[in-house]
Amino acid sequence: MSDTCRPAAVGSYTHAMRTTDTMKAMIAWWDLTESRQTPGTLREFIREEEQKWADVPGLLLKIWLSDPSTGRWGAVLLWESEEAAKSAVLPRSPAELIGHPLDFRAWFDVEATVEGPHSLALESGPGTETYGTEI
């Protein structure tokens, strides 16, 4: 494993570029304003699905996001490569619950990553339960 693929030590800086394959980030969201779902109701979906995402080969990180003030709900996914993202068999989509396909999706090359010092215990799970604050 090259230095650019190792997890970053807290406070260290790691370049995410590789010579043959670049890490990819995908940002996607739904507009929930015309859905019966809310960020709160979709937390149960996250609880049911998060472990299945933990087993997806090539997925480095998935962060579920919400903005109740705009009605947006979605995720940021960090993939080890475009090939990994394209070949992944994904768990079920919340589109059926939400009532329509994604409203926004964009792909990016990852130029670099950094993990700063922090005191959070970054465990899997919905933000309310993991950190004790409303998301």
Side-chain angles (χ1 to χ4, degrees):
M1 177 182 287
S2 73
D3 288 340
T4 59
C5 298
R6 290 193 184 119
V10 173
S12 70
Y13 181 78
T14 302
H15 291 281
M17 298 297 290
R18 298 188 201 183
T19 56
T20 60
D21 225 352
T22 302
M23 289 181 3
K24 295 289 185 183
M26 192 267 291
I27 300 171
W29 70 70
W30 282 266
D31 180 341
L32 301 178
T33 56
E34 296 188 19
S35 174
R36 288 187 280 181
Q37 300 298 323
T38 67
T41 62
L42 288 165
R43 286 189 192 116
E44 183 61 31
F45 174 82
I46 295 171
R47 279 186 212 92
E48 294 169 2
E49 297 298 311
E50 66 184 332
Q51 187 54 50
K52 294 173 187 167
W53 282 96
D55 297 331
V56 174
L59 179 66
L60 301 176
L61 180 67
K62 179 170 184 177
I63 303 169
W64 284 271
L65 308 168
S66 69
D67 183 351
S69 68
T70 63
R72 289 184 183 150
W73 184 86
V76 174
L77 291 87
L78 182 62
W79 294 93
E80 68 181 3
S81 67
E82 183 175 358
E83 179 61 34
K86 285 181 175 180
S87 65
V89 177
L90 303 179
R92 76 181 174 123
S93 168
E96 186 176 321
L97 292 172
I98 293 170
H100 60 85
L102 281 169
D103 291 295
F104 175 86
R105 178 185 336 206
W107 288 91
F108 301 88
D109 290 345
V110 175
E111 299 295 336
T113 63
V114 64
E115 180 180 353
H118 55 78
S119 61
L120 295 176
L122 297 178
E123 301 171 5
S124 294
T128 301
E129 294 174 3
T130 304
Y131 307 117
T133 59
E134 187 66 25
I135 56 172

